[in-house]
Amino acid sequence: MSTGLFAGRHTIEVPCIIDLEQTTESLHAYVDLDGVEIEAGDEVIIHDAPPMVGFGERLVCERRATVVRAGPLRALRARIEGYLKLTELYEVSFSDGRVS
């Protein structure tokens, strides 16, 4: 554990695996943190992450990540904002757009 740039905030530095793919079969960017569960409001900073992959390419590499843990108020705020964003999805209509 270190505090470094985030003095006063709980940080954890862990290894991670980055999986980037941009092909006709898949377009994704995954990060698998080793031994850390991310919770609401936490921040993850990937060090030396590749910026992108070209079309038709896949890249899997190992890097280091810093996890900045959210305090209780930040975690509560993240949960509330997530709930409110979810309720926005309820307003989506699946009609054909024609007015009867």
Side-chain angles (χ1 to χ4, degrees):
M1 282 186 255
S2 63
T3 52
L5 295 173
F6 307 101
R9 295 177 73 183
H10 182 75
T11 63
I12 304 167
E13 191 167 317
V14 296
C16 66
I17 296 175
I18 302 171
D19 180 2
L20 301 171
E21 184 173 353
Q22 185 178 192
T23 63
T24 55
E25 293 82 30
S26 181
L27 174 63
H28 68 257
Y30 299 121
V31 174
D32 184 22
L33 300 173
D34 189 23
V36 175
E37 289 293 322
I38 301 302
E39 299 175 8
D42 290 350
E43 297 176 35
V44 178
I45 301 164
I46 308 297
H47 304 285
D48 299 321
M52 62 183 293
V53 294
F55 184 76
E57 295 180 3
R58 180 175 185 209
L59 174 66
V60 178
C61 57
E62 292 185 27
R63 296 290 190 266
R64 303 243 357 122
T66 301
V67 178
V68 182
R69 292 291 188 192
L73 290 177
R74 186 179 180 103
L76 177 63
R77 178 181 172 190
R79 284 188 180 94
I80 291 170
E81 286 178 353
Y83 177 77
L84 293 174
K85 294 289 183 186
L86 178 65
T87 57
E88 287 180 16
L89 293 176
Y90 299 149
E91 297 174 11
V92 173
S93 172
F94 294 100
S95 66
D96 60 7
R98 290 185 235 148
V99 178
S100 305

